[in-house]
Amino acid sequence: MLDTHELGRRPGSMRALERTVAAPADLGTAVIGIPEGAELALDLRLEAVMEGVLVSGTVTGTATGECGRCLDPVEVEVVADVQELFAYPERAGAAEDSGDEDEEVSELEDDLADLEPSLRDAVVIGLPFQPLCSPDCPGLCSECGARLADDPEHTHDVVDPRWSALESMFDPTNVSDETKES
Ligand SMILES: [Zn+2]
Ligand SMILES: [Zn+2]
């Protein structure tokens, strides 16, 4: 909650606000998000306008998740833009009439602005859809699940039995050699 009381109501008055807050729960998606209680740095500007208080600025935090390919832990610095108009309760009706009908106007309650919904929207939009530990992460071996980044030359000499049957059909000498050896 942001207290806008000190700002006053004269249109044009402005206040900068820098604050570190604890992240609320569910700040992210299923694959990556800012953990609850982690530091969120707010760098905001509060501006009194006719209809209410315009809050704009950035929120910065560190999201954690798993690489979508190799499942390694991933940390992503999130810097999200926030902008939200909080209408004075007695002006909220007017703001709703003039604005987009689908858009719900946030209201100030006792000079307090609930920034959480807009923070959540801004942060979620700023998160990667599929987080990766590095853009060219090779992922895991489909055969044994090893991390291919640790061992790029990694192969398995497992030959599909149907494939070896084909090989023997096309290369009879090879088969006879193997038969002799075994
Ligand atoms: Zn990875
Ligand atoms: Zn493998």
Side-chain angles (χ1 to χ4, degrees), residues 38 56 81 97 126 130 133-134 146-147 155 157 161:
S56 58
D81 289 322
D97 288 344
Q130 191 199 32
C133 60
S134 71
R147 293 181 71 240
T155 52
D157 289 329

Side-chain angles (χ1 to χ4, degrees), residues 7-14 46-54 88 91:
L7 181 67
R9 288 198 169 195
R10 195 150 45 103
S13 51
M14 238 182 262
L46 280 60
E47 188 181 353
V49 295
M50 287 299 291
E51 302 83 17
V53 176
L54 183 67
Y88 300 127
R91 308 277 315 218

Side-chain angles (χ1 to χ4, degrees), residues 12 26 42 59 69 102 119 122 126 130 149 175 178 181:
D26 302 322
L42 305 180
V59 50
R69 292 184 195 154
D102 299 334
L119 281 187
Q130 191 199 32
V175 169
E178 271 175 16
E181 274 167 28

